[in-house]
Amino acid sequence: MESYLKENFGGVQAKHSSDEALRRWRKVVGLVKNPKRRFRFTANLDKRNEATAMKRNNHEKLRVAVLVSKAALQFIHSVAPSSEYKGLASKLSTSESDGLTTSADKLATRRDVFGVNKFAEAESRGFLVFVWEALQDMTLMILAACAFFSLIVGIATEGWPKGAHDGLGIVASILLVVFVTASSDYRQSLQFKDLDKEKKKITVQVTRSGYRQKLSIYELLVGDIVHLSIGDQVPADGLFMSGFSLLINESSLTGESEPVAVNVEYPFLLSGTKVQDGSCKMLVTTVGMRTQWGKLMATLSEGGDDETPLQVKLNGVATIIGKIGLIFAVVTFAVLTQSLFRRKIIDGTYLSWTGDDALELLEFFAIAVTIVVVAVPEGLPLAVTLSLAFAMKKMMNDKALVRHLAACETMGSATSICSDKTGTLTTNHMTVVKACICGKIKEVDGVSDIKNLFSELPDSVMAILSQSIFNNTGGDVVLNQDGKREILGTPTETAILEFGLSLGGDFLAVRKASTLVKVEPFNSAKKRMGVVIQLPEGALRAHCKGASEIILASCSKYLNEDGNVIPLDAGTIDHLKATIDSFANEALRTLCLAYIEVEDGFSVNDQIPTDGYTCIGIVGIKDPVRPGVKESVAICRSAGITVRMVTGDNINTAKAIARECGILTEGGIAIEGPDFRTKSEEELTQLIPKIQVMARSSPLDKHTLVKHLRTKLYEVVAVTGDGTNDAPALHEADIGLAMGIAGTEVAKESADVIILDDNFSTIVTVAKWGRSVYINIQKFVQFQLTVNVVALVVNFSSACLTGSAPLTAVQLLWVNMIMDTLGALALATEPPNNELMKRTPVGRKGNFISNIMWRNILGQALYQFLVIWYLQTEGKWLFGIKGDNSDLVLNTLIFNCFVFCQVFNEVSSREMERINVFEGILNNNVFIAVLGSTVIFQFIIIQFLGDFANTTPLTLNQWIACVFIGFIGMPIAAIVKMIPVGST
C-alpha cells in the first residue's frame, strides 16, 4: 500500500506543489461517492488557472494605466507646481499634521459619502447548503432509490404500515447520516470563518485630531493621514504627502517586479502594494471596492489553497480501500443473489416470483450498496480537515494564528528550527544599560539621573549626541490622547530614544532645529541607517548608526572627552573594539553612533557617505532572554528538533545569548555571515549540521541556510522572521513563522503561522499541535480500518457460507456513521499531551500506516471477527435463544456486540502504543459526548426502532453480555500492543 501511495500520492508538498503533482493524484482517485464533499478543501486547478490568466490581464491593464498616469503627471508638473496636490487635503477637510477630526457625526457622514474600507466577500454558506452537499453522495442516492422501491413493493405486498418499515428505516438512516455529516461540516466552516477574521486583522498608524494612534485598516476613511514604513501593506489608494526614500512593490497589481519610487513627483500609492523601503505619510483618497485592489479582487475567483500532503495521502488510502470494498460488494451481491436463485430452483419456484422475493433481492442490493458506503472511507480526507480546523482554533488560544492548513501537519514533522534572537528568544523590551561616549564607559542601568552621569562632558558633545539620536531614527516621540509622552518605533529605536530623552534631550526642539534632507532606512544587508540634515546655518551633516564594528570601520576620527575631533589611532581603536567585545560578552546588543560633515553640492539623489566618519560613542542595549526559553529549547532537543539561532547581532552577543538559551552546546559551531558566504558547497554540507549560531547574518545567509537544510540534508525546516527581508527565507522554509507583534505585513504574508506573542515557547506549542494532528489522524485511520476490515469480512464470509448477511443496510449505515463522522469527531480532536515531545518528528519519511497500526488493526479485527463468527454459529446455544424469532434475536445480538466492540475499540484507539488509554479522557468533552450519544442511540435503535432497524428488544442479561463482549476488546488491544514490531 505504501509504495502505491508514494508513487501516486507522494508528489504533493506542504508548499509550492507543482500542477503536475496536484493533477496526478486527482486522476488516480477517479470515481468517488460524493465529489462535492470529498474535494471541498481541494484546490480547483482550473479555476485557479483562470484566475491567474485574469490577473495577468489585469496586471497589463494596470501597467498601462500607470504609464498613462506618469505621462499625465509629467504634463501637469510642466504647467503647475507639485505642491498643488496638497491642496486636496484641505478640500477633504483634513490636514497633514492633525488628520481627520474624531467627531463621531463627521466620521459617520464621511463614511456615508466615501464608503468604508472593506472588500466584498462571498456570502457564507448556510447549514442547508451542507445538507444539500451531503445528499450528493452517490451511494446514498442509490440507497434512497432502494428505499423508494422497497416502500412500493412492501406496501403492495404487506400493506401499510408493516410493508413500509424497511423502506422507512433506510430513509431515516440516510437522513440521520446526512444531518450529522452536514452538522459536522457546518461546524468546520464556522471555525474557518473565525480564523479568516483573525487573519484579516491588520492595523496601521494613523493621525486623527493631532494624535498618532493604531487603527484597523477597516476603520480607515477618505482623508485619513496614514504613516507607512518598510514592510507595511498600503491599506487604501492615496497620495504621498511627505517622506523619504519610498520604494513601493506594485507586483501584486501590475506584475512588475521592479519597485517604484514614490515621491511628490509621482505621488500615487495603490491599495494592496507593499512598502519595500523608506517611509511616508499618505493621504487616503479612495477606500474599499473603489480602490484598484478592490476592483481587481472583484474580478477574481480564486481556486483555493493547495490540499495538504496528509489530505492527499488519505485520499489515496480511501481510494485503495474503496476499490477493495467495491469488489467485496459486487461479490457479496452475486453470492446472495445466487443463493436466492439456488433456493428457488431447489423449491421449484424459479418461475414464480412474489413480492417477498423482490423485497429480498432489493435487500441484497441495498446490503451491497451499504458495504460500499461502509468500505469507502469518504471521511478520511475530511477527518484531516476536521483535525486541522480543531487544532487551528485551539492554537489561536495559544497565540498562534495558522494561515495555511498544511502548516499544522508540517510543523509536526519539523526537524530544525532557525530562530531569530530579538523578540523570539528575548523579550524585545530593550533598554540602554551601558554607554561609551567620548571614550568614557558609563553604567546607566538603574541610574535615576542619567543626565548627571554625563555632566562632565562638554555641551557640544551632548548636543551632537542628541542630534544623532533624535534625527537618525525611524521612531517618533508623540503625545497620546491622554496627554502623556509615548515613544513609537522598533524596540531598538525606542531604547535609544528613551536614552536620549533621559539625557535631557528635547526631541521636538532638536528636530525643528534642523531639516531632514535624505534618509536611508536601516538595511539588513548594510546593517546601518543614515540621514543627512541641514543645520540652521545651512551646512550639511550626515549621521549614521548601526552594527558597532561596521560603523567603527567607517570612522577615521572620534570625539574625545573635551569634545575635540581627534584622528583615530591604533590604541583608541583597540580600546573601542575591546569595549564592543566587553558589551557583547555581557549579551548586550551594541550600536555605534557617528557623524560626518557633508560637503556643499550634496544632492538628494547622492548616496550618503560610507566612510570618514567621527565616532560619537557606543551604546549597549539589554534585551533579556524570555522566561521559559531554555526549557523550550531543551524540549525541542528531546523531541529531535535542532534549534539554530540566526541573528544580525555581533557574534559575541549571539554566543552569549545562545549559551543562556541552551542553543549553543559543546561541539556546536557559531559562525558569522561573511565567513559563511565564503564556503563552498562541499564545505557547507559538512558545516551546516554543526552550525548552531549564525551572527551578522544577511537575509541571503538565512535563505541559503534554510535551502541547504531542506534540499541537501532533507530536514523539515521551520523559520522565524519579522521583517521584510525575512520574506524569502519564510517563503523557502517548509513552515514560516512570522512574529505577530513586531512583524511587518510582508513577513506575515510570507509566513504559514503567525506567532502572536512573539514567544519561542509558542513555537514549541505549534510543533506539539502539529504532531497531535498527525497522530490523531493515525488513530482515526486505525479505528476506521478496523471497522472496514471486520464489516467487509463478516458480511462477505456470511454471504458465502450461509447465504445471508447478519448486518442489514440500516445497521451498516449506523455503523458507518459511528466510524466515519462520529469517529472523526472523537479521535481527530484529541488535545496534545507532553509525551508527544518525547518522540522523534513524524510524517516526512515514515510510512503513514505504520507497522504498529497494522498490528493493532489486525489484532482487534481478528478478535471481532472470531466473536461475530462464533455468535453466528453458536450464538443461539450460547444465549439459549429459541422460538420463531430466534434468527432476529441472534442478528440483533450480533449487531449490538459489533457496535459495542467499536465503542470500546474507539477508547483503545486513543493510544496506539501505551496501555493506559484513559489518561486525559475526561479532558476531551467531544470524545465523551460522542461515546455517550453512540451508546444512547444504540439503546434506542435496539429497544424502540426494531421495525425500522430489523432488531428486537434485548433482555438485561443480553445487554450485559453484549457490553462485556465489547469490553473484552480492550484487554485484547492491550495484549496486542505488547507484541514488538518495527515502528515504520
Side-chain angles (χ1 to χ4, degrees):
M1 181 184 280
E2 286 296 336
S3 59
Y4 175 82
L5 289 175
K6 284 174 183 174
E7 181 183 347
N8 296 289
F9 298 87
V12 176
Q13 305 298 319
K15 293 163 72 171
H16 322 309
S17 292
S18 66
D19 263 20
E20 181 189 354
L22 294 173
R23 289 187 187 280
R24 188 193 310 129
W25 78 264
R26 286 165 170 75
K27 289 178 183 175
V28 178
V29 168
L31 189 66
V32 297
K33 293 196 302 177
N34 190 344
K36 271 186 177 292
R37 185 167 184 258
R38 176 92 164 256
F39 301 125
R40 182 185 297 132
F41 297 101
T42 301
N44 187 326
L45 299 181
D46 293 333
K47 193 177 280 187
R48 181 185 289 178
N49 291 335
E50 187 182 299
T52 302
M54 198 176 290
K55 206 180 258 186
R56 197 180 300 118
N57 184 40
N58 283 330
H59 282 165
E60 185 58 30
K61 289 178 181 177
L62 282 166
R63 192 178 69 81
V64 171
V66 168
L67 291 173
V68 169
S69 68
K70 282 182 179 177
L73 279 169
Q74 286 177 348
F75 172 75
I76 291 169
H77 281 305
S78 66
V79 296
S82 60
S83 59
E84 287 192 8
Y85 290 123
K86 297 193 177 182
L88 182 60
S90 61
K91 292 179 180 177
L92 289 172
S93 302
T94 187
S95 77
E96 185 179 349
S97 58
D98 294 340
L100 295 174
T101 59
T102 52
S103 163
D105 291 340
K106 290 183 178 179
L107 293 178
T109 302
R110 191 174 291 268
R111 203 174 287 116
D112 293 337
V113 173
F114 297 107
V116 294
N117 198 36
K118 291 185 179 179
F119 303 119
E121 295 180 356
E123 286 186 23
S124 56
R125 302 194 300 175
F127 176 70
L128 291 178
V129 175
F130 291 96
V131 171
W132 175 248
E133 283 191 1
L135 283 167
Q136 304 304 302
D137 190 309
M138 184 173 59
T139 51
L140 291 184
M141 288 191 277
I142 295 171
L143 282 176
C146 289
F148 176 72
F149 287 114
S150 177
L151 280 169
I152 292 174
V153 176
I155 292 170
T157 55
E158 299 182 55
W160 178 271
K162 187 178 179 182
H165 287 161
D166 288 346
L168 289 177
I170 295 174
V171 169
S173 300
I174 291 171
L175 291 176
L176 184 62
V177 168
V178 165
F179 277 96
V180 170
T181 301
S183 299
S184 174
D185 293 347
Y186 181 61
R187 182 169 165 269
Q188 277 183 54
S189 74
L190 294 179
Q191 287 181 324
F192 283 124
K193 189 177 179 181
D194 290 342
L195 289 167
D196 279 339
K197 285 180 182 176
E198 290 294 332
K199 290 179 195 176
K200 292 171 182 175
K201 283 184 179 178
I202 302 173
T203 58
V204 287
Q205 291 277 348
V206 178
T207 296
R208 280 189 180 176
S209 294
Y211 297 107
R212 191 111 160 239
Q213 55 193 281
K214 280 187 177 181
L215 278 184
S216 165
I217 60 170
Y218 302 118
E219 295 178 42
L220 285 183
L221 297 171
V222 169
D224 266 322
I225 302 297
V226 178
H227 302 259
L228 298 173
S229 56
I230 297 176
D232 286 342
Q233 179 172 305
V234 180
D237 287 356
L239 291 174
F240 175 94
M241 300 297 283
S242 62
F244 295 94
S245 310
L246 189 65
L247 289 178
I248 298 292
N249 184 334
E250 295 183 345
S251 59
S252 57
L253 278 177
T254 65
E256 295 286 343
S257 57
E258 283 297 311
V260 176
V262 175
N263 45 46
V264 290
E265 312 300 327
Y266 176 68
F268 292 126
L269 290 157
L270 300 176
S271 175
T273 58
K274 314 230 171 18
V275 180
Q276 187 165 315
D277 205 355
S279 59
C280 78
K281 282 185 183 179
M282 178 187 90
L283 170 65
V284 175
T285 57
T286 316
V287 293
M289 294 304 292
R290 297 174 183 175
T291 64
Q292 290 296 331
W293 183 253
K295 291 173 184 174
L296 176 63
M297 289 297 100
T299 64
L300 297 181
S301 178
E302 297 288 355
D305 288 338
D306 284 351
E307 50 273 22
T308 75
L310 201 50
Q311 283 175 325
V312 172
K313 196 173 280 189
L314 288 179
N315 265 293
V317 173
T319 300
I320 295 169
I321 297 170
K323 288 177 180 177
I324 295 170
L326 187 60
I327 294 169
F328 269 77
V330 171
V331 174
T332 301
F333 178 68
V335 170
L336 290 172
T337 305
Q338 178 266 341
S339 70
L340 173 63
F341 275 90
R342 187 164 163 272
R343 189 172 69 245
K344 290 188 71 63
I345 290 171
I346 292 171
D347 293 343
T349 58
Y350 61 91
L351 294 177
S352 173
W353 289 81
T354 65
D356 288 340
D357 293 331
L359 281 173
E360 192 173 356
L361 196 61
L362 203 60
E363 174 66 16
F364 293 160
F365 182 70
I367 288 171
V369 174
T370 312
I371 285 175
V372 176
V373 174
V374 175
V376 179
E378 198 82 348
L380 272 185
L382 295 167
V384 180
T385 313
L386 174 67
S387 186
L388 291 174
F390 174 78
M392 289 163 75
K393 185 76 174 174
K394 292 293 183 181
M395 277 195 275
M396 265 299 301
N397 299 333
D398 291 333
K399 304 300 180 185
L401 172 60
V402 180
R403 295 185 68 250
H404 302 126
L405 270 179
C408 281
E409 63 187 61
T410 306
M411 196 61 195
S413 305
T415 54
S416 179
I417 298 175
C418 296
S419 175
D420 281 354
K421 174 185 77 68
T422 306
T424 310
L425 300 170
T426 59
T427 61
N428 217 15
H429 296 145
M430 300 190 188
T431 51
V432 175
V433 295
K434 280 193 173 184
C436 175
I437 310 297
C438 298
K440 296 283 187 180
I441 300 175
K442 300 288 185 180
E443 186 94 37
V444 299
D445 190 23
V447 178
S448 58
D449 192 357
I450 295 176
K451 184 178 180 181
N452 284 335
L453 201 61
F454 293 93
S455 58
E456 74 269 21
L457 294 177
D459 290 342
S460 59
V461 171
M462 299 308 292
I464 206 161
L465 178 60
S466 294
Q467 193 181 77
S468 179
I469 290 173
F470 294 142
N471 282 295
N472 188 22
T473 180
D476 203 353
V477 180
V478 298
L479 289 177
N480 61 24
Q481 288 172 294
D482 298 326
K484 295 179 180 178
R485 189 176 69 191
E486 186 177 351
I487 302 174
L488 304 173
T490 65
T492 306
E493 294 285 10
T494 302
I496 296 175
L497 287 172
E498 185 68 54
F499 176 61
L501 293 168
S502 65
L503 290 172
D506 185 330
F507 179 82
L508 290 176
V510 172
R511 290 293 286 258
K512 287 178 180 177
S514 56
T515 305
L516 278 174
V517 176
K518 184 179 177 68
V519 177
E520 287 183 0
F522 180 80
N523 184 293
S524 294
K526 294 180 181 178
K527 303 209 177 295
R528 65 197 295 163
M529 174 184 182
V531 297
V532 176
I533 61 172
Q534 186 175 37
L535 302 174
E537 63 272 16
L540 297 176
R541 179 179 290 161
H543 286 276
C544 77
K545 73 176 177 198
S548 296
E549 63 270 29
I550 293 173
I551 301 299
L552 186 58
S554 300
C555 295
S556 56
K557 299 179 281 292
Y558 77 102
L559 284 175
N560 69 4
E561 58 189 68
D562 298 321
N564 299 320
V565 177
I566 307 293
L568 270 173
D569 55 27
T572 307
I573 290 174
D574 288 344
H575 169 68
L576 291 173
K577 284 183 176 178
T579 301
I580 293 169
D581 289 341
S582 170
F583 286 7
N585 288 331
E586 294 177 42
L588 303 182
R589 165 177 276 191
T590 64
L591 291 179
C592 184
L593 309 177
Y595 77 97
I596 186 175
E597 306 297 346
V598 179
E599 296 178 0
D600 292 339
F602 178 84
S603 164
V604 175
N605 297 320
D606 295 338
Q607 291 292 315
I608 296 177
T610 56
D611 51 29
Y613 280 85
T614 300
C615 178
I616 303 170
I618 296 161
V619 294
I621 301 172
K622 187 172 183 62
D623 186 10
V625 171
R626 282 183 181 273
V629 164
K630 190 170 185 177
E631 292 79 4
S632 296
V633 170
I635 290 171
C636 286
R637 189 170 286 113
S638 68
I641 303 172
T642 303
V643 181
R644 296 176 171 88
M645 188 172 85
V646 184
T647 178
D649 275 348
N650 176 292
I651 192 163
N652 291 323
T653 305
K655 285 161 74 174
I657 292 285
R659 285 195 188 97
E660 192 176 344
C661 294
I663 292 172
L664 186 58
T665 58
E666 182 130 10
I669 292 175
I671 191 171
E672 287 188 312
D675 187 21
F676 178 78
R677 281 168 234 147
T678 63
K679 304 297 182 185
S680 65
E681 281 293 314
E682 293 75 15
E683 288 174 316
L684 286 177
T685 303
Q686 297 296 319
L687 182 69
I688 283 178
K690 299 175 185 176
I691 290 178
Q692 293 177 338
V693 177
M694 186 184 289
R696 289 296 181 228
S697 66
S698 70
L700 184 60
D701 296 331
K702 195 173 188 178
H703 183 267
T704 303
L705 176 65
V706 172
K707 192 170 184 179
H708 211 284
L709 284 167
R710 288 187 67 244
T711 58
K712 299 290 176 65
L713 302 177
Y714 305 108
E715 293 196 28
V716 182
V717 186
V719 172
T720 72
D722 59 7
T724 305
N725 292 312
D726 290 315
L730 291 169
H731 187 71
E732 175 67 37
D734 293 283
I735 177 167
L737 302 154
M739 302 298 104
I741 297 172
T744 65
E745 290 307 318
V746 173
K748 290 177 188 177
E749 194 174 275
S750 301
D752 305 289
V753 178
I754 299 172
I755 306 300
L756 299 172
D757 61 355
D758 292 7
N759 195 333
F760 186 82
S761 299
T762 304
I763 296 171
V764 177
T765 302
V766 174
K768 191 189 293 184
W769 271 106
R771 293 185 176 199
S772 176
V773 166
Y774 193 89
I775 296 295
N776 284 350
I777 298 303
Q778 283 189 313
K779 293 175 188 175
F780 172 59
V781 169
Q782 175 184 297
F783 170 69
Q784 190 168 50
L785 289 186
T786 304
V787 186
N788 282 140
V789 170
V790 177
L792 285 177
V793 172
V794 164
N795 265 21
F796 175 71
S797 60
S798 181
C800 292
L801 297 174
T802 67
S804 65
L807 300 175
T808 66
V810 172
Q811 291 167 1
L812 282 173
L813 280 172
W814 170 234
V815 169
N816 177 69
M817 196 166 72
I818 293 173
M819 74 168 187
D820 199 329
T821 307
L822 296 178
L825 276 172
L827 292 170
T829 57
E830 280 278 318
N833 56 60
N834 292 329
E835 291 296 316
L836 291 172
M837 297 306 284
K838 295 177 183 177
R839 306 174 183 177
T840 54
V842 297
R844 172 63 59 99
K845 295 177 184 175
N847 294 334
F848 176 70
I849 303 180
S850 63
N851 292 341
I852 291 168
M853 292 170 67
W854 281 123
R855 176 197 66 192
N856 297 342
I857 290 166
L858 295 175
Q860 187 65 215
L862 179 62
Y863 165 71
Q864 291 186 19
F865 175 70
L866 289 175
V867 164
I868 292 170
W869 187 248
Y870 180 76
L871 288 175
Q872 276 191 285
T873 55
E874 304 293 335
K876 290 182 181 179
W877 168 80
L878 183 66
F879 286 96
I881 304 169
K882 295 175 183 177
D884 294 338
N885 69 337
S886 60
D887 287 340
L888 180 60
V889 174
L890 179 62
N891 283 340
T892 301
L893 283 166
I894 290 171
F895 169 54
N896 208 27
C897 288
F898 182 68
V899 169
F900 274 99
C901 280
Q902 309 324 316
V903 169
F904 287 104
N905 185 36
E906 202 162 0
V907 178
S908 297
S909 296
R910 291 188 70 242
E911 290 290 343
M912 292 191 292
E913 296 180 73
R914 295 169 66 199
I915 303 298
N916 183 3
V917 295
F918 295 105
E919 186 179 331
I921 193 170
L922 296 178
N923 296 331
N924 189 347
N925 296 331
V926 176
F927 191 92
I928 298 297
V930 167
L931 281 188
S933 60
T934 301
V935 171
I936 290 168
F937 271 106
Q938 180 66 12
F939 181 80
I940 293 169
I941 287 169
I942 297 293
Q943 298 298 118
F944 304 108
L945 300 178
D947 289 338
F948 300 99
N950 289 56
T951 60
T952 188
L954 299 178
T955 66
L956 177 61
N957 288 337
Q958 289 171 337
W959 270 101
I960 293 171
C962 291
V963 173
F964 179 74
I965 288 169
F967 172 77
I968 290 296
M970 291 189 69
I972 295 289
I975 293 167
V976 168
K977 288 174 186 177
M978 295 179 186
I979 301 172
V981 292
S983 59
T984 56

